Amino acid sequence: GENVEQHPSTLSVQEGDSAVIKCTYSDSASNYFPWYKQELGKGPQLIIDIRSNVGEKKDQRIAVTLNKTAKHFSLHITETQPEDSAVYFCAARDSGTYKYIFGTGTRLKVLA
Amino acid sequence: NAGVTQTPKFQVLKTGQSMTLQCAQDMNHNSMYWYRQDPGMGLRLIYYSASEGTTDKGEVPNGYNVSRLNKREFSLRLESAAPSQTSVYFCASKDSSTDTQYFGPGTRLTVL
């Protein structure tokens, strides 16, 4: 079955710097890759997603890139702000199934 | 529009006790999910329901049962709680047109 690995597990950046979180997946049939942000005491919330027919997607300070050949996708946050501090999860879903396989999460700390 | 709601927010059980976690969504989604979140392990799927009247096992179904009571409600039952079931439980529903999952605020369960 699908396996998703996420790195790093923790990441500290200075306010204004960029942050990059990377995920790799194992199942070449996976075609939908969402990223979630989870704030303390809350449920995960979708922040951006990408499908396998697209290589990059941007939404203001957030971007996701996908390399299907290498089976990895990355979240890029530019001009980080203290409110970006949270746990971020990547996930992969096989279009033929209902399962979303999640990475183990990255705790991002933005230092003011 | 409340989104996905879960009750209770917190619960402490003794080993062997039973309880039901409630979940409801008001977005008219067909698909609903139950996950558990443990430190360092991301979110793992317990059970899934593609539509009213249907349920299917996920990665970690042992010790749990579910009921899709109607389109809005999807409950998770622990018949005989064990310390290994200490976790944070999240319910989610999915918008089939976008694949976006919407998560509830979670239930923090401790089994002594």
Side-chain angles (χ1 to χ4, degrees):
Chain A
E2 175 67 279
N3 182 51
V4 176
E5 294 188 359
Q6 182 171 348
H7 299 281
S9 57
T10 60
L11 179 61
S12 293
V13 298
Q14 291 292 326
E15 184 178 359
D17 287 350
S18 296
V20 180
I21 303 171
K22 298 181 179 181
C23 288
T24 60
Y25 61 100
S26 60
D27 189 349
S28 57
S30 293
N31 68 353
Y32 175 67
F33 306 93
W35 284 90
Y36 294 87
K37 177 183 181 181
Q38 185 177 25
E39 296 177 338
L40 193 61
K42 297 185 178 180
Q45 184 174 12
L46 180 75
I47 55 171
I48 197 167
D49 56 14
I50 192 167
R51 299 185 188 276
S52 57
N53 59 348
V54 175
E56 183 176 6
K57 183 177 179 180
K58 288 184 179 180
D59 183 2
Q60 298 182 346
R61 296 186 296 108
I62 294 173
V64 57
T65 58
L66 172 65
N67 183 326
K68 286 178 60 180
T69 303
K71 293 187 208 167
H72 66 71
F73 56 113
S74 300
L75 177 70
H76 304 254
I77 306 174
T78 59
E79 301 173 18
T80 54
Q81 301 167 2
E83 51 265 38
D84 294 329
S85 295
V87 179
Y88 292 81
F89 290 97
C90 62
R93 198 202 74 158
D94 180 347
S95 65
T97 78
Y98 53 80
K99 288 186 178 180
Y100 293 75
I101 305 302
F102 286 80
T104 50
T106 296
R107 183 174 299 278
L108 174 64
K109 295 182 182 178
V110 180
L111 308 172
Chain B
N1 190 337
V4 180
T5 56
Q6 293 183 237
T7 56
K9 289 188 179 353
F10 301 94
Q11 184 72 47
V12 178
L13 295 177
K14 294 181 180 178
T15 297
Q17 288 186 317
S18 62
M19 78 161 295
T20 299
L21 282 65
Q22 306 287 351
C23 173
Q25 53 94 8
D26 60 2
M27 295 174 281
N28 203 36
H29 293 162
N30 285 316
S31 301
M32 297 185 72
Y33 302 74
W34 274 106
Y35 293 92
R36 60 178 287 172
Q37 183 176 39
D38 301 294
M41 300 186 75
L43 291 122
R44 292 183 292 167
L45 182 65
I46 305 172
Y47 268 93
Y48 161 81
S49 172
S51 61
E52 181 181 350
T54 68
T55 61
D56 206 352
K57 294 179 180 179
E59 301 171 72
V60 288
N62 291 345
Y64 305 95
N65 285 303
V66 290
S67 295
R68 184 71 183 270
L69 306 170
N70 47 56
K71 193 170 187 178
R72 290 187 65 250
E73 298 171 291
F74 188 34
S75 63
L76 179 71
R77 182 159 178 85
L78 287 71
E79 291 291 352
S80 178
S84 60
Q85 295 178 304
T86 293
S87 187
V88 181
Y89 291 85
F90 288 100
C91 177
S93 68
K94 187 186 76 167
D95 182 338
S96 297
S97 64
T98 62
D99 285 328
T100 301
Q101 285 192 309
Y102 296 86
F103 286 83
T107 294
R108 184 174 295 275
L109 175 67
T110 301
V111 183
L112 303 175

